[in-house]
Amino acid sequence: MTAPRTHERTALRDVPWLLAILGASVWQIFRSMGQSPTVWIDTLFENVFIQDCLQDHDCSLVGAGATAGIFHSAGYLHWRIFLEWAGVGPDGTHGAILVATALGVMLAAVAALRIDGRFAAAIATLLVIRSIGIPTQLNVVSDVAPLPFLGCVFLVLALAADTRPSLPMTALLGIVGGVMANVYATGLLCTVTSVWLALRVPQGRWKHVAVAVIAFGVSTFVIAPGTWITDAQLILSHGVVGNAVQGAAKRALFSIPLARLTAASIAIWIVSAIVRPSFRRRLDVTAAIIVPLFVPLALGSWTGKLDPQDKYCSHIIGAVAVALAVSAASAVRAVWSPLARRGSALLEQATAVLSEAAPYAAAGFIAWTAAHQTAPENAGTLSHFTYRDVANAQHILTTEHGWAAANARQNLRTLDDAVKRSLIEWPRGWHEAGPAGPLSRAYLLRVAREHLPPSLPPTTRKVTEDSAAATLLVYACSWIDWSSFRACVRKEGKENQECADSGVPAEQDIHSDYGTPGMPAADDVRKSPQYLTLRFPLKPDAACPVFSVHMPDVAGVCHGRIVGATGASIQFQQTDQWAVLTNPESGKTPELAIEWNLGETNCSREYRGAPPFFIEGDPASVDLVASTLPVWR
Amino acid sequence: MSMRRLIILAFTLFVACVPPRRKPPTRPTGINHRIEDTFKTLMSTKALDKALPTGWKLDRFASGVDSLTLGFLDAAGVPHTVELLLKPSAGEPLQGKGQFFSFRIAQQSESAENIKALLDAARIVDEVTPIEALVAESNSPPPKQGLAERFKTAEPPVVIALGAIQVVIIAAGIVVALVAGRRRRAD
């Protein structure tokens, strides 16, 4: 490998391979993350802020609460509000984040090129592409998703500020850091980087430090003053306790892949400071970005205050990749160059050509992986519902069945309530009022291809399909009216049941939580384990003379049992997990009772104050839905 | 650009971008949801835990007209209650005052340590409670907003502009970084 010849290059020569990397990255990121964002509970919380702002003219300058006990992300919410106001929908927002991330990959390559050369640029490109993805929430619309891109912007700007120091450049670096601090709280650490780099300026360093601090402070505060006022109040009240849940298992720091890479890059920087200070200087800018994040991350993890996660390293991915790439390229060069020099001139020339071609090879490799990515990374999982899934399902429900949002609230069943809520709250275009009958049921399911029935009955619609799975909407005829039932609770160790009228409301405020009125609150259940029995007064329907109930045993679902029924014949299918009801007694209202042990580990984690999922309806539909759900505990 | 100019520019931006909050035109019903949601957020972030002695836990939370009530149970199951009053009666014994609320501790026999814990918890709630939600229900005139409260909400044009400005800043950052680097290599 030839030594870097930075001064001989012109920017124009680099443009083709940089564009190749950008194009390949766009392709690969869209192929692996999908063209539509995955349904995600935090996106729904963000949507509430957007709706409050654009519809109710109540825009927050405080932002959302973080698990660490502070408020943040207001700047990111401003950006989402700006996009929404400009008419950019969820798919467009997701696409903008993905394209920006691909641009970030290219910027990381630029940074590595400037420090070392093309070979390092190629390695950095591959490292960034390898590190981003689902762990950095790139598949969803969230405040974490833009961070790898913003981190790469900060990196190239930091390099520029370091090589050509000037007060405007220092100020711009501080302002970009201020933007990042308001996207995600870890961006606050950019102020340390700005000051670190300002202290490296040969002349007028204290002036640079002052400009860096003022630019960062002012931009941070101006974008979201409420955030920092509130956080200051919370911190002064000792209200911040870290993100670690008391009693819950915490991850070991080095079980996090990005933490390992980060530690490796810092170790190289420290070792080179001792062994080869000239090499260390090439890594100083990346270290100024990496160290301010890694120190609190490691200390927080080792003192038990912080549960480390990949996402906390999102904004330093570019810097880590560049530091490792420069180190690797230098190591290869140190070994290879003497060999090449001792060999023929042809070998030396070939080495130079290979080094020049390396970024094209990296772009080609990325394109090759994109071509072989048949479906988004998590497409095979049950939880992978995208915005397109829920938007298409909503379109089918409104156009084919005339449903309003109230119908969906009461009659749509999903394994995860977040999916149902996304379908109701995210897409627009619900009818004001829908059909009055409460007994039509719809199941929205993500079904792995191997579990798809060979032919779908007319009651089932395929909403979307990819090479890994399909999203199905299964209609059923039911005896249960979800708007009215009784919820009975028996605390562990007690015999008496306390019952309350319950029912899924037709209207629900978007600010409210997931609880169903009359059901025990999720927090209470976690404090004291209890048994929940739901008693459904049944409304037999002539359209479905036989009614079937099944309690599926699938991950993410609180698993219950059928207690029994009155006023109709009930026949259990081998166990209390599956029953068929027939022959309702005339003049009586049959009743079905189902029980859950909410103290059971899975239930206490998954219960959210709403009726847990089970399958009910005409036997054909219940069989179909049950056959598509894999048994997994 | 001189530092003086930078400071003046920053201050001008600050004043221009963050006007005092005007009252939104209308609010949907269910105002108490906002107080409850704020409180749930507070609970989910465990912000109260730090203020409380070991073994204490929140037992109840109630919002009434002009008041909030926080009830805690200590490790032995003994209740401790602090009320946050928007309009305390004259002569009412109060143990503390926050931004908007006055604090009254229900039990007379609380130890100094417990009083401090209850007041710390009350202060945290006082700081994050959306005061306008409580005021709207009580028909009281809103208390004069502190400087801090003025900066917590804004009108859509301000927020949209702030969103757009961030896009411009990042774009400027990319262009400057690329151009500065190009110049260096052309040197």
Side-chain angles (χ1 to χ4, degrees):
Chain A
M1 302 293 125
T2 52
R5 293 173 296 174
T6 315
H7 290 269
E8 292 173 19
R9 280 200 200 91
T10 63
L12 213 55
R13 285 185 59 204
D14 298 322
V15 169
W17 65 261
L18 285 171
L19 288 179
I21 283 176
L22 176 64
S25 300
V26 168
W27 189 23
Q28 202 277 337
I29 291 172
F30 268 91
R31 295 280 286 184
S32 58
M33 296 295 110
Q35 293 178 13
S36 189
T38 301
V39 164
W40 180 249
I41 191 72
D42 287 357
T43 311
L44 292 183
F45 294 149
E46 292 171 8
N47 292 349
V48 172
F49 283 94
I50 294 170
Q51 197 167 325
D52 279 350
C53 181
L54 293 179
Q55 290 182 14
D56 299 334
H57 291 218
D58 188 10
C59 308
S60 172
L61 292 176
V62 178
T67 45
I70 57 167
F71 289 84
H72 71 161
S73 302
Y76 160 78
L77 290 171
H78 298 346
W79 175 74
R80 280 209 61 201
I81 289 166
F82 165 65
L83 288 188
E84 185 82 11
W85 170 81
V88 180
D91 284 347
T93 304
H94 176 66
I97 292 172
L98 297 193
V99 170
T101 305
L103 183 60
V105 175
M106 192 199 80
L107 291 175
V110 170
L113 170 77
R114 288 180 179 174
I115 296 176
D116 194 88
R118 286 189 174 196
F119 187 52
I123 299 171
T125 302
L126 296 175
L127 281 172
V128 176
I129 278 283
R130 179 74 187 82
S131 303
I132 55 176
I134 292 172
T136 58
Q137 299 184 1
L138 203 54
N139 59 322
V140 299
V141 174
S142 89
D143 50 3
V144 177
L147 286 179
F149 158 66
L150 291 173
C152 290
V153 175
F154 190 76
L155 170 66
V156 281
L157 197 58
L159 269 176
D162 192 64
T163 49
R164 295 181 67 86
S166 67
L167 286 177
M169 193 67 102
T170 301
L172 184 58
L173 187 68
I175 292 169
V176 169
V179 171
M180 290 171 66
N182 283 302
V183 170
Y184 201 72
T186 49
L188 279 173
L189 299 165
C190 291
T191 186
V192 181
T193 307
S194 302
V195 170
W196 184 327
L197 295 178
L199 286 170
R200 283 166 51 83
V201 174
Q203 286 178 338
R205 65 178 57 169
W206 292 110
K207 201 185 261 187
H208 278 265
V209 167
V211 168
V213 170
I214 291 169
F216 181 88
V218 170
S219 62
T220 301
F221 186 78
V222 166
I223 291 168
T227 302
W228 309 111
I229 290 170
T230 307
D231 286 346
Q233 290 169 340
L234 279 171
I235 290 165
L236 292 173
S237 309
H238 308 290
V240 180
V241 291
N243 75 337
V245 179
Q246 219 167 9
K250 297 175 196 70
R251 277 160 280 220
L253 178 63
F254 292 122
S255 68
I256 310 298
L258 274 175
R260 289 198 295 269
L261 292 179
T262 304
S265 67
I266 292 176
I268 291 169
W269 180 66
I270 292 171
V271 170
S272 63
I274 300 164
V275 180
R276 271 183 70 189
S278 61
F279 180 70
R280 187 224 71 199
R281 280 195 284 277
R282 297 166 72 189
L283 300 180
D284 277 351
V285 173
T286 52
I289 295 172
I290 298 165
V291 172
L293 184 278
F294 186 73
V295 170
L297 182 73
L299 289 178
S301 172
W302 291 331
T303 56
K305 291 272 185 196
L306 199 70
D307 183 22
Q309 297 172 38
D310 274 306
K311 66 179 183 178
Y312 297 142
C313 301
S314 289
H315 80 275
I316 62 163
I317 284 175
V320 169
V322 168
L324 292 175
V326 168
S327 307
S330 296
V332 170
R333 196 180 304 119
V335 174
W336 183 255
S337 290
L339 294 175
R341 272 197 297 274
R342 262 182 265 144
S344 64
L346 192 66
L347 183 62
E348 201 170 359
Q349 213 167 3
T351 304
V353 170
L354 280 176
S355 181
E356 294 288 296
Y360 289 105
F365 180 73
I366 293 168
W368 180 79
T369 57
H372 286 79
Q373 182 93 37
T374 52
E377 276 177 22
N378 61 348
T381 62
L382 282 173
S383 58
H384 179 74
F385 284 87
T386 63
Y387 170 75
R388 201 162 292 175
D389 288 326
V390 295
N392 285 1
Q394 186 251 16
H395 180 73
I396 293 169
L397 289 169
T398 50
T399 54
E400 294 184 9
H401 294 260
W403 276 24
N407 296 103
R409 276 192 196 92
Q410 295 184 323
N411 298 319
L412 180 73
R413 304 289 285 155
T414 53
L415 283 163
D416 181 354
D417 270 350
V419 175
K420 175 177 171 179
R421 194 161 172 159
S422 295
L423 185 140
I424 294 166
E425 293 176 8
W426 213 357
R428 299 197 180 127
W430 286 107
H431 294 302
E432 286 293 318
L439 302 176
S440 65
R441 190 76 60 244
Y443 293 88
L444 186 65
L445 305 159
R446 184 87 183 144
V447 182
R449 283 191 82 87
E450 60 266 30
H451 293 113
L452 271 177
S455 63
L456 294 176
T459 54
T460 301
R461 288 290 310 272
K462 204 176 272 181
V463 177
T464 57
E465 185 177 18
D466 56 44
S467 57
T471 301
L472 301 184
L473 200 53
V474 181
Y475 299 105
C477 171
S478 175
W479 289 12
I480 290 181
D481 177 359
W482 280 97
S483 68
S484 174
F485 53 87
R486 280 178 72 73
C488 300
V489 171
R490 177 172 62 83
K491 297 210 167 158
E492 207 164 57
K494 304 254 171 92
E495 288 191 359
N496 291 344
Q497 273 194 342
E498 288 179 14
C499 294
D501 289 333
S502 186
V504 179
E507 300 297 329
Q508 204 159 17
D509 189 282
I510 58 165
H511 301 91
S512 65
D513 61 13
Y514 285 77
T516 299
M519 297 279 290
D523 287 347
D524 291 346
V525 167
R526 287 184 190 105
K527 280 182 210 160
S528 61
Q530 44 198 272
Y531 290 86
L532 168 72
T533 305
L534 295 186
R535 299 185 179 281
F536 298 96
L538 299 175
K539 297 181 178 174
D541 190 341
C544 44
V546 180
F547 178 62
S548 184
V549 183
H550 173 51
M551 314 301 294
D553 188 7
V554 291
V557 173
C558 179
H559 188 212
R561 70 180 188 91
I562 302 161
V563 178
T566 58
S569 304
I570 182 165
Q571 193 175 4
F572 286 97
Q573 312 285 304
Q574 296 177 333
T575 68
D576 55 7
Q577 307 298 298
W578 205 311
V580 173
L581 282 78
T582 51
N583 303 323
E585 295 172 24
S586 59
K588 283 187 178 175
T589 302
E591 187 182 81
L592 171 71
I594 299 176
E595 184 188 64
W596 289 267
N597 176 4
L598 298 183
E600 187 232 327
T601 314
N602 283 310
C603 284
S604 64
R605 193 174 60 232
E606 292 146 9
Y607 177 74
R608 288 179 175 169
F613 178 84
F614 64 95
I615 311 167
E616 41 89 12
D618 58 275
S621 301
V622 170
D623 289 353
L624 174 68
V625 173
S627 69
T628 61
L629 301 177
V631 177
W632 180 33
R633 266 286 160 190
Chain B
M1 192 183 289
S2 72
M3 218 161 72
R4 198 172 147 202
R5 280 188 186 172
L6 262 177
I7 293 168
I8 293 169
L9 179 67
F11 182 73
T12 312
L13 265 175
F14 172 75
V15 171
C17 290
V18 193
R21 180 184 183 279
R22 289 194 297 275
K23 194 169 172 56
T26 50
R27 286 289 312 165
T29 53
I31 249 17
N32 259 342
H33 275 303
R34 291 194 57 200
I35 296 173
E36 284 168 16
D37 287 350
T38 305
F39 195 75
K40 277 175 187 165
T41 306
L42 199 63
M43 292 309 298
S44 66
T45 58
K46 300 194 177 299
L48 278 178
D49 291 10
K50 198 79 179 187
L52 300 174
T54 310
W56 280 41
K57 59 183 180 185
L58 185 76
D59 183 47
R60 71 193 179 94
F61 167 73
S63 71
V65 176
D66 290 343
S67 71
L68 302 175
T69 305
L70 302 174
F72 300 94
L73 289 178
D74 64 14
V78 177
H80 306 270
T81 306
V82 59
E83 291 174 85
L84 289 76
L85 308 169
L86 201 58
K87 294 190 298 180
S89 311
E92 196 158 19
L94 300 169
Q95 279 74 37
K97 191 162 182 4
Q99 201 176 350
F100 298 114
F101 294 96
S102 299
F103 310 142
R104 184 177 65 194
I105 292 172
Q107 289 87 357
Q108 299 296 316
S109 54
E110 292 285 8
S111 67
E113 199 176 88
N114 289 353
I115 290 173
K116 183 182 178 306
L118 288 166
L119 293 180
D120 284 349
R123 272 192 199 97
I124 292 171
V125 174
D126 170 73
E127 282 159 6
V128 299
T129 299
I131 194 69
E132 67 272 28
L134 198 69
V135 169
E137 285 232 324
S138 71
N139 294 322
S140 309
K144 194 177 172 187
Q145 282 193 330
L147 185 66
E149 202 64 19
R150 290 175 69 194
F151 292 128
K152 288 185 178 173
T153 53
E155 293 291 317
V158 174
V159 169
I160 291 165
L162 285 170
I165 287 169
Q166 291 178 93
V167 175
V168 172
I169 290 171
I170 296 301
I174 295 170
V175 171
V176 169
L178 292 179
V179 170
R182 189 176 61 84
R183 277 187 192 151
R184 176 183 173 257
R185 281 184 281 131
D187 285 346

